[in-house]
Amino acid sequence: MSLLDNFLIRAALAGLGVALAAAPLGCFVIWRRMAYFGDATSHAAILGVALALAVDLPIFGGVLLCCLLMATLVSGLTGRGHGSDTILGVAAHSALALGLVAVSLIPGIRIDLSSYLFGDILAVGRADLAVIWGGAALILGLLGWRWSRLLTATLNADLARAGGIDPGREERVLTFALALAVAVAIKVVGALLITALLLIPAAAARPFSRTPETMAMLAAGLGAAAALGGLRLSYLADTPAGPTVVATAAGIFAFSVSLAALRRRARRD
Amino acid sequence: MPRLPRERVVSLVEIEGLDVRLDGRPVLSRIDFRIDPGEIVTLVGPNGSGKTTLMRSVIGAIPSAAGRIRRRPGLRIGYVPQKLHVDTTLPLTVGRFLSLPVRIGAASTRAALEQAGAGALLERQMSELSGGQFQRVMLARALLARPELLILDEATQGLDQPGSAAFYRQIETIRDETGCAVLMVSHELHVVMAASDRVICLNGHVCCHGTPEHVSSAPEYRALFGTGTGGALALYRHDHDHRHDPDCAHAGGPGHDHPRAGTERTPG
């Protein structure tokens, strides 16, 4: 497998895997207005890194565990009298701060925090690739398997119940998929920018979609384009890879929104 | 609608001694309630009287604190919720919406839309529908389940008077065609559909129930709703051989005293 010996090829494959899984999941994040929920979950990843280092667990496992705990905690706390944006704001920033403190407390290890905050896609190894593509396949499989149920529960909880669907269970499925996405993506774009990879391709796909399915597929395509294009740009301009990928996605979003506005105006005239 | 004799009928839903609490606050207490095949039952009651809660208990969306809810095994319920906000971030055509959660063939989709009076809306985006169009699409969706019980929670909210009247007519036609039972909440306290076989007046408990005429003259009903309307309950009635003039189809607002409204017709 000489192809995988090239770090740029590995980086491209890692970016592609994360983008393909993140984009359809990101559609649900947008439809359910869970952007801050995504932030709170992904910021807990740093706490997971600290935990993993402290007890000598694989980083992936620690991050997945912490993200799941945080997501469960936040969904438990919202809807109990506090405004959910308040809860999410408190949780997101506390998790990040606690994570940073916890990492500094681990004795004997000097780690490069920025690689966890902003990703280190060029350092992706073969084992990382396996984790990323395995996780991505799991997320896509999960979403595909429950697609109709997830959509119905997203549309309206009572409508779902009347159709024999437990909206709470579908919410837990999404929560799990989200935690998994964070654990998979932390190596690629880092804890601070994961939500961007979820949201931006999906948001860019929205104006050109008439059904949820087209939006999810278009988002996956745009996410993949952002990942590959961003990597290429970062190579050419010698800029950090993770942020460049997100910046490229932002560029695609700006282009999509402008195009949609132009199209609307053309239709009105 | 001819009703079968009680003893031969297995109720679709039977509720005995139901108590429901929401956040520890008692919302419903000691509710006895049943709905039989083919009958139209209307729930009326002031705001916060637990109408929606009772409906949601019937579909099984809320756990009960006490009492029993018995649904006939395999009961097919079609539910039209009080309001359903479709976020503009979610692209969804009417056709796709009707295929959630179960894929429906194009022919059945069209048939249901036609039956609900929304045949032209198939390709429209859900977030761009008007209130009346939206309710008809919701009705079409409920019909796709081939329901034995059709549940409508304030389905005419946001519709004007002719819109509501047309919607009620559609419901009655559907009941006559399919034989499904209908349970609905009306927020228009004074416009209880005359086609209702029974009206249940709710205020945390069942105040009174019976035929529309019976409830309208019941002292409990008058105690609840009497002040605003001079004790009048105007019944929306219609015959199939004439149409209401939309401008006249008002019903028992203040200043319209209907001393014996239960037996009188809404002007129209």
Side-chain angles (χ1 to χ4, degrees):
Chain A
M1 288 288 274
S2 59
L3 198 64
L4 290 184
D5 289 342
N6 186 326
F7 75 98
L8 270 178
I9 299 277
R10 286 199 304 271
L13 284 175
L16 207 56
V18 168
L20 287 180
L25 185 59
C27 290
F28 280 104
V29 171
I30 288 187
W31 298 333
R32 299 173 75 101
R33 311 225 157 199
M34 287 166 68
Y36 277 104
F37 188 84
D39 266 346
T41 306
S42 58
H43 288 183
I46 296 298
L47 206 55
V49 170
L51 176 80
L53 292 174
V55 302
D56 212 11
L57 209 73
I59 298 285
F60 175 80
V63 170
L64 184 61
L65 187 69
C66 271
C67 291
L68 272 179
L69 285 177
M70 173 56 96
T72 314
L73 180 76
V74 171
S75 14
L77 281 177
T78 47
R80 286 198 188 177
H82 298 277
S84 61
D85 56 339
T86 309
I87 291 287
L88 290 171
V90 170
H93 299 113
S94 314
L96 187 58
L98 278 176
L100 295 175
V101 169
V103 168
S104 78
L105 285 179
I106 298 168
I109 304 177
R110 298 246 42 95
I111 60 160
D112 178 16
L113 252 184
S114 76
S115 73
Y116 293 107
L117 288 174
F118 300 108
D120 196 3
I121 192 172
L122 298 180
V124 165
R126 290 179 177 219
D128 296 321
L129 262 188
V131 167
I132 288 171
W133 276 90
L138 193 56
I139 293 170
L140 288 176
L142 204 58
L143 291 184
W145 172 41
R146 308 192 72 85
W147 183 257
S148 277
R149 280 172 280 194
L150 287 169
L151 263 183
T152 311
T154 296
L155 203 57
N156 182 268
D158 276 352
L159 216 57
R161 283 192 199 94
I165 296 164
D166 175 1
R169 187 194 297 150
E170 303 311 318
E171 192 182 317
R172 288 192 290 280
V173 166
L174 277 183
T175 302
F176 175 73
L178 197 61
L180 196 59
V182 172
V184 159
I186 188 166
K187 188 88 184 178
V188 174
V189 286
L192 290 184
L193 291 176
I194 289 169
T195 324
L197 216 52
L198 288 165
L199 287 180
I200 299 178
R206 172 62 187 99
F208 301 97
S209 314
R210 288 182 54 77
T211 63
E213 289 76 15
T214 48
M215 178 158 156
M217 278 188 262
L218 196 52
L222 294 179
L228 297 182
L231 267 179
R232 178 84 187 138
L233 280 178
S234 93
Y235 180 75
L236 292 176
D238 195 20
T239 48
T244 310
V245 166
V246 172
T248 308
I252 292 177
F253 173 74
F255 181 70
S256 150
V257 170
S258 322
L259 201 63
L262 280 176
R263 208 176 53 159
R264 262 201 311 277
R265 188 176 300 171
R267 206 176 287 164
R268 224 177 299 140
D269 292 341
Chain B
M1 181 71 189
R3 301 253 319 270
L4 298 169
R6 254 293 147 79
E7 57 271 19
R8 278 173 43 206
V9 171
V10 181
S11 292
L12 300 178
V13 177
E14 210 167 342
I15 290 178
E16 281 169 34
L18 176 72
D19 286 4
V20 175
R21 295 172 163 274
L22 295 181
D23 299 326
R25 188 173 48 92
V27 177
L28 294 174
S29 66
R30 298 185 313 282
I31 302 287
D32 292 325
F33 171 84
R34 60 185 285 165
I35 182 158
D36 292 338
E39 67 173 346
I40 297 184
V41 177
T42 300
L43 281 175
V44 297
N47 286 338
S49 60
K51 302 184 296 282
T52 296
T53 305
L54 179 54
M55 290 234 171
R56 299 184 71 217
S57 302
V58 167
I59 64 168
I62 308 182
S64 47
R68 282 208 307 186
I69 303 175
R70 208 167 28 220
R71 281 172 220 97
R72 206 178 68 184
L75 177 68
R76 294 193 303 273
I77 295 180
Y79 177 59
V80 181
Q82 182 171 10
K83 56 180 173 226
L84 190 146
H85 172 73
V86 174
D87 205 290
T88 49
T89 61
L90 179 61
L92 196 62
T93 57
V94 168
R96 182 68 188 94
F97 171 71
L98 294 178
S99 268
L100 278 178
V102 185
R103 282 275 178 190
I104 307 288
S108 326
T109 307
R110 275 174 212 284
L113 280 172
E114 290 294 340
Q115 196 170 26
L121 303 177
L122 187 68
E123 292 295 322
R124 296 278 298 276
Q125 284 286 313
M126 288 297 291
S127 52
E128 293 166 358
L129 298 181
S130 75
Q133 290 171 332
F134 197 95
Q135 286 306 337
R136 282 169 190 276
V137 170
M138 293 305 294
L139 180 60
R141 185 179 194 282
L143 291 174
L144 279 172
R146 287 183 299 114
E148 295 155 293
L149 175 58
L150 186 58
I151 298 185
L152 304 128
D153 191 354
E154 310 215 354
T156 59
Q157 205 173 39
L159 301 192
D160 56 10
Q161 196 81 36
S164 307
F167 193 79
Y168 282 142
R169 264 200 299 280
Q170 197 95 41
I171 299 292
E172 202 183 346
T173 309
I174 287 166
R175 191 275 303 262
D176 293 344
E177 283 173 359
T178 68
C180 67
V182 179
L183 172 62
M184 61 178 155
V185 159
S186 175
H187 70 292
E188 300 153 306
L189 296 175
H190 321 303
V191 190
V192 175
M193 196 171 148
S196 299
D197 297 298
R198 283 189 293 138
V199 174
I200 294 173
C201 175
L202 201 66
N203 191 23
H205 59 282
V206 176
C207 293
C208 53
H209 61 98
T211 61
E213 288 79 8
H214 172 80
V215 168
S216 67
S217 57
E220 295 90 345
Y221 180 87
R222 299 198 164 210
L224 270 180
F225 302 119
T227 48
T229 62
L233 168 67
L235 296 175
Y236 165 71
R237 284 179 175 277
H238 70 272
D239 299 320
H240 290 283
D241 56 0
H242 83 284
R243 282 184 158 275
H244 280 274
D245 180 346
D247 295 330
C248 307
H250 54 69
H256 291 277
D257 217 9
H258 298 275
R260 296 194 56 226
T263 55
E264 118 178 332
R265 287 185 173 214
T266 314

